[in-house]
Amino acid sequence: MRRDLIKGRRENTLLLPYCILMGIFNLRIESLKNVLKCFSIYSVALAVLFISCNSVIAEETLSWQDCIKEAAKNHPDLIAAQEGIKESQASKAITASSLFPQIDSSLSASTAKTTATNAVTGAKTSTTTDSYSYGVSGTQLLFDGFKTLNNVKGASENIKASQEGYRFTSSEVRLNLRTAFINLLTAQELVHVAEEIVKIRRDDLELIALRYESGLENEGSLLTAEADLKEANFELSEAKRDVEVAQRQLTKEMGRQEFKPMSARGDFVVRDTAKEKPDFEAIVKNNPSLLQALANKNAASFNIKSAYANFSPELSGNIGADKSSSTWPPRDKAWNAGLTVTMPIFEGGLRLAQVSQAKALYKQAEANERSAKDAAIYGLAQTWAQLQDTIEAVDVQYTSLNAAAKRSEIAEAQYSTGFISFDNWTIIEDNLVAAKKSYLNSQANMLFAEANWIQAKGETLEYE
């Protein structure tokens, strides 16, 4: 028995180092697992942080001035309008070219072979003749009843019309660009408002749930609160989707060809308030649509003069010099000079019809000018009134929002202590939600009204 005891002690003594080693090994394994676990957590955290940073970096922040600079350079409507000015300038140069000498040069070389048969002998003889010549000739219009001169003046008015057309296009581009910028600014702010509303609805639901569990509220009130929270979450999702739609609208109005996430940096402040009622008759004189109509009318008046000039004789002078001979280089000289007069006698009433057409176009342009002026003055009066209305509406909505917020704060305390019913309290909460939305909409409408007022004045993209 003593031997067995000694034997057991020896076995325990031999097992002790093994157990110690296994314990140390297990501790190292556990430590290694903990290190790997921490490394995995840190890796995931770093990956999330990296993705978040990339998403933040990828979203470009644009100010209003940034949008103006990009649209001025890339918008296709502005590019087309600029090319329209160039086309008008080229058309004038084409028209004016007939006032200058028209000079041509010529060079010719030919050979001819003639075969003759003798009537008596029947013998055939061939003769080859060469001919070489070169020369220069010119014509100069001397008088055409001032037709060409009036055409040039009309072309100058067409250039002015194209330039005013460019200003009008620039004004339209500014309005559309500003509208897109405001839409993105509003959509971003609407997300924040929607998040506030979700918080309001969630807090309401928690309070109602506590009262329901305590037996102080009925199930209908709880279900109503749950439905309100669900609607608030939907509006938040909708607002986030609207942000991307507004981003794409701004991308289009800036003339970008590729979409990239962006955010608008700005505030809901009107700078062109025009508190004092302006003189619409004075402002309209610089309106591009009116100036374009005026230039078209002036061009039409020159077209009438040009049409009457068709009845006048046309006088032109011509001169030329050349050399010719049967050998190269030609040696025989020749020159010519003269005057040419053409006078229409009868062309089936063509010129009378052209005069009638020109007069009708002039009256049409005159009516268009009057219509443009009337529309511009009405637009100024309308947009100015809308601007003043929306500025005052913002102040009203701000006051209503403060009142609704204070009333909601008081009503929540009263409802939690049972002083008011659920029906009365939920009406107050609904008013607060509606006031937050109305205030944001009134701010956006104020900026839209300012943009319309600036466009009605005829201001271009560069206007700040």
Side-chain angles (χ1 to χ4, degrees), residues 211 217 221 411 414-415 418-427:
R211 291 177 60 82
E217 196 59 77
S221 300
Q414 291 177 332
Y415 176 71
F419 281 100
I420 60 174
S421 66
F422 169 79
D423 292 337
N424 292 332
W425 178 58
T426 191
I427 291 174

Side-chain angles (χ1 to χ4, degrees), residues 27-43:
L27 286 174
R28 289 183 176 179
I29 291 296
E30 291 297 326
S31 299
L32 182 60
K33 288 181 178 179
N34 290 332
V35 170
L36 292 175
K37 185 177 181 181
C38 292
F39 178 76
S40 299
I41 294 173
Y42 289 145
S43 299

Side-chain angles (χ1 to χ4, degrees), residues 187 190-191 195 235-245:
L190 184 59
V191 171
E195 289 172 346
E235 291 179 350
L236 176 59
S237 300
E238 185 181 34
K240 290 179 179 178
R241 288 189 290 269
D242 290 341
V243 169
E244 182 178 346
V245 175

Side-chain angles (χ1 to χ4, degrees), residues 146 210 223 353 447:
F146 305 108
L210 288 175
L223 293 176
L447 294 185

Side-chain angles (χ1 to χ4, degrees), residues 132-150:
Y132 302 93
S133 67
Y134 64 86
V136 62
S137 63
T139 60
Q140 172 64 59
L141 177 65
L142 300 178
F143 179 76
D144 63 350
F146 305 108
K147 175 183 178 180
T148 304
L149 188 61
N150 285 315

Side-chain angles (χ1 to χ4, degrees), residues 252-271:
K252 169 188 173 295
E253 297 304 332
M254 286 193 298
R256 286 188 178 181
Q257 297 183 1
E258 294 182 1
F259 173 76
K260 185 167 64 174
M262 67 188 72
S263 61
R265 183 176 72 249
D267 49 36
F268 292 89
V269 176
V270 168
R271 290 167 178 81

Side-chain angles (χ1 to χ4, degrees), residues 6-7 13 32 40-41 56 82 90 95 144 149 177 190 202 240 249 268 278 333 336 347 364 366 404 434 442-443 462:
I6 294 172
K7 183 178 180 181
T13 302
L32 182 60
S40 299
I41 294 173
V56 172
Q82 288 172 345
T95 303
D144 63 350
L149 188 61
L177 180 66
L190 184 59
R202 185 181 293 113
K240 290 179 179 178
Q249 182 187 14
F268 292 89
K333 300 178 181 179
N336 62 82
E347 291 181 333
Q364 180 182 349
E366 194 174 36
S442 67
Q443 287 180 305
E462 293 75 16

